[in-house]
Amino acid sequence: MLKNTINSYGWIAIVIHWLSALMVIGLFALGYWMLTLGYYDSWYRLGPWWHKSFGITLLVLTVIRLLWKFVNATPKPLGTRFEQIGARVGHGLIYALLLVTMISGYLISTADGRGISVFDWFEIPALITSIPQQEDIAGAVHWYTALALVILAAGHALAAFKHHFVNKDSTLTRMLVAKRNQSNND
């Protein structure tokens, strides 16, 4: 089943969710590691190339994810009213942090007027280059939003485990396997 139902996520949403999660973790780890590289390190140029290429890929995947979310059913939220509000706010913050992190990364990379090569397949042009101290300001925004994103994603994972092990509902499992018919609490 590709599409979501009122009780379950479909395979498209599940795959996009887990690809996004892996990319966020991988990009954060790579970005953090890149801070330790010296000018003569063999990864000094290659690390940022991978980081930018996967960052643009994540941006495209996030836009597809948001479009898919708007044209598809959303499974009924589980848990208490407080948990449902928390989930809605948390998901909104995750999407906002994703977009701000990626846009600020774009602004860092294009501040000098050069575009971003994506896996050497195509180039994203530098469209905004005239913001005073663009690279420094965007760099600070990028770091803090990426850090907040990873922290919020960890909280998101902990909440899913809480639903699974404490509430014993299907919040976690419905993001692991697409099911056609599923009750609200199995």
Side-chain angles (χ1 to χ4, degrees), residues 9-10 13-15 17-18 65 170-178:
Y9 289 98
I14 291 170
V15 168
H17 173 270
W18 290 108
R65 185 179 188 177
S170 64
T171 297
L172 176 62
T173 57
R174 67 186 185 177
M175 189 47 82
L176 295 172
V177 178

Side-chain angles (χ1 to χ4, degrees), residues 33 37-50:
W33 178 66
L37 298 176
Y39 183 76
Y40 295 105
D41 192 300
S42 61
W43 275 86
Y44 184 77
R45 285 185 179 48
L46 191 56
W49 181 83
W50 283 107

Side-chain angles (χ1 to χ4, degrees), residues 18 36 50 59 65 69 100-101 118 128 130 175 178 182 184:
W18 290 108
T36 69
W50 283 107
L59 176 59
R65 185 179 188 177
K69 183 175 177 56
V100 171
T101 301
V118 180
I128 302 170
S130 60
M175 189 47 82
Q182 176 181 9
N184 287 339

Side-chain angles (χ1 to χ4, degrees), residues 124-135:
I124 303 293
L127 299 174
I128 302 170
T129 60
S130 60
I131 300 170
Q133 299 176 328
Q134 178 173 324
E135 190 172 11

